[in-house]
Amino acid sequence: MEQVQENTLDQIEKRNIATGFAFAIAGTTLFSLKSVLIKMAFNEGIDATTLLMIRMMIAMPFYLIVLAYAIKTRPQKAAELRTSDFFLIVGLGFMGYYLASYLDFLGLEYITAQLERLTLFTYPVMVALLSWIFFGEKITGRVFASLIISYLGVTFLFMNESSGENSNTGLGTLLVGGAALSFSLYVIFSKSFITRLGSLIFTSIAMSTATIWIVIQFFSTRDLSDLNVSPKLWLLGFLLAIFCTLIPSFFTSEAISRIGATRMSITGSIGPVVTILLAVWLLDEAFGWTHAIGLLMVMIGVGLLRAKKSPGKLISWIKKSPPHL
């Protein structure tokens, strides 16, 4: 009888691991599709502000539903939310889901999806440096090696792209680097709120209130008629909101619960590879040995921080906070 129970538990454990990796791969793939969809939308003639407005408008109702569900099912967590917390979360939503997303979208107007993805992928290195600046976490040789290797990889790809006809590669990379910095600040200052309130309540408030910022920007610089875009652009906006934001955020959370943060982090490292393959396939972006070297260097550099023995509480926290700008 005990042997049967052990076999059943083993089967359940194996099933959880298998489904956990499935969730992890699916979530990473959907996140990685974001850059490609944005570039496809830009090819249809839409600008960053309007596209971001469409994305946030579609996503916001779903996050409000999740927030209502979280408050109902987690009343003790909801009771922890103070007025001061709410306004601080609104500020973090501005930083992590509005400013970072806007800079990322804007940067993609000037650079390839490949360079954008690799630049964003280095945000854990920024988290390490900011953790040292704000919280005094130790900077080790591993962190320095990660910093040097990662940004050498980005520089390698940047030099390759800037040598072509695109004169705005520097501006685009700077904008995406600003997005990574803004998201890194969001990550390090959100930890205490997520620990106390839970990820569902925190993320739903941050994402929902971030919509207010883009609405303010949109109506300050655009007309309502600018939302009268083609059905294809609305479809791309829907895919960005649901399949590249909402669904993968829950997929990755479920993956972490089943296989752990470390395994999820390792699986997430396939993100840049997926983006590059999709960019080459769907956008006809060039890929040569310079791209391969840049990709390899960035993955090695970030991999040093994502390794199991990486030091620092906030460094380990990034394993539970995959980017979803």
Side-chain angles (χ1 to χ4, degrees), residues 13 33 42 65 100-101 107 109 122 125 186 232 236 268 308 317:
E13 178 66 19
L33 183 59
F42 287 162
I65 292 172
S101 294
E109 291 186 349
T122 63
V125 181
Y186 161 81
K232 182 177 181 179
L236 289 171
K308 188 174 181 180
W317 175 252

Side-chain angles (χ1 to χ4, degrees), residues 5 53 57 68 95 103 127 133 170 222 248 265 273 277-278 291:
Q5 289 179 338
M53 175 71 171
M57 284 174 55
M95 188 176 299
L103 292 175
V127 171
I133 293 171
R222 305 288 189 278
S265 177
V273 178
L277 290 175
L278 291 172
H291 298 79

Side-chain angles (χ1 to χ4, degrees), residues 103 106-108 110-111 158 166-178:
L103 292 175
L106 202 58
L108 272 166
Y110 304 109
I111 61 177
F158 168 81
N166 185 5
S167 60
N168 292 315
T169 303
L171 175 60
T173 306
L174 185 63
L175 288 168
V176 176

Side-chain angles (χ1 to χ4, degrees), residues 108-130:
L108 272 166
E109 291 186 349
Y110 304 109
I111 61 177
T112 64
Q114 298 178 66
L115 179 55
E116 179 266 356
R117 190 68 171 90
L118 288 184
T119 303
L120 269 188
F121 194 66
T122 63
Y123 92 96
V125 181
M126 293 187 180
V127 171
L129 295 177
L130 292 172

Side-chain angles (χ1 to χ4, degrees), residues 28-50:
T28 298
T29 301
L30 290 175
F31 274 140
S32 302
L33 183 59
K34 180 211 67 175
S35 306
V36 176
L37 292 179
I38 293 172
K39 295 291 285 187
M40 291 174 68
F42 287 162
N43 290 338
E44 295 295 315
I46 199 171
D47 62 273
T49 299
T50 306

Side-chain angles (χ1 to χ4, degrees), residues 17 25 29 35 106 122-123 131 154 162 183 209 212 215 297:
I17 292 175
I25 293 171
T29 301
S35 306
L106 202 58
T122 63
Y123 92 96
S131 300
V154 172
S162 61
F183 189 75
T209 56
I212 298 173
V215 168
M297 293 177 72

Side-chain angles (χ1 to χ4, degrees), residues 49-278:
T49 299
T50 306
L51 181 60
L52 186 57
M53 175 71 171
I54 292 173
R55 176 206 190 193
M56 300 297 275
M57 284 174 55
I58 295 173
M60 182 179 178
F62 293 95
Y63 278 102
L64 289 176
I65 292 172
V66 172
L67 177 60
Y69 168 80
I71 291 175
K72 182 178 180 179
T73 57
R74 297 163 174 79
Q76 293 181 337
K77 292 285 188 181
E80 293 286 329
L81 180 64
R82 299 185 292 264
T83 302
S84 58
D85 292 336
F86 178 80
F87 286 108
L88 288 172
I89 294 173
V90 169
L92 288 172
F94 170 87
M95 188 176 299
Y97 291 117
Y98 163 68
L99 182 60
S101 294
Y102 178 64
L103 292 175
D104 182 42
F105 276 49
L106 202 58
L108 272 166
E109 291 186 349
Y110 304 109
I111 61 177
T112 64
Q114 298 178 66
L115 179 55
E116 179 266 356
R117 190 68 171 90
L118 288 184
T119 303
L120 269 188
F121 194 66
T122 63
Y123 92 96
V125 181
M126 293 187 180
V127 171
L129 295 177
L130 292 172
S131 300
W132 169 62
I133 293 171
F134 289 105
F135 300 101
E137 288 210 5
K138 186 179 180 181
I139 294 291
T140 64
R142 180 192 292 265
V143 174
F144 276 117
S146 174
L147 172 67
I148 294 170
I149 296 173
S150 298
Y151 286 106
L152 276 178
V154 172
T155 302
F156 199 78
L157 190 55
F158 168 81
M159 295 299 293
N160 177 72
E161 290 200 10
S162 61
S163 63
E165 297 180 358
N166 185 5
S167 60
N168 292 315
T169 303
L171 175 60
T173 306
L174 185 63
L175 288 168
V176 176
L181 175 61
S182 182
F183 189 75
S184 299
L185 288 167
Y186 161 81
V187 168
I188 67 172
F189 288 111
S190 66
K191 182 178 184 296
S192 61
F193 292 104
I194 294 176
T195 301
R196 184 157 52 86
L197 302 174
S199 61
L200 289 182
I201 293 176
F202 174 84
T203 303
S204 297
I205 294 175
M207 178 64 81
S208 299
T209 56
T211 306
I212 298 173
W213 300 110
I214 186 58
V215 168
I216 292 172
Q217 177 186 336
F218 179 83
F219 284 106
S220 297
T221 59
R222 305 288 189 278
D223 295 322
L224 183 61
S225 60
D226 289 330
L227 292 175
N228 185 23
V229 298
S230 67
K232 182 177 181 179
L233 282 171
W234 276 103
L235 174 61
L236 289 171
F238 176 82
L239 293 175
L240 280 171
I242 305 304
F243 290 93
C244 298
T245 306
L246 184 73
I247 293 177
S249 67
F250 292 116
F251 275 6
T252 52
S253 296
E254 184 62 26
I256 288 172
S257 69
R258 293 179 183 236
I259 63 176
T262 299
R263 286 176 174 174
M264 175 63 223
S265 177
I266 295 171
T267 306
S269 297
I270 70 172
V273 178
V274 174
T275 298
I276 288 174
L277 290 175
L278 291 172

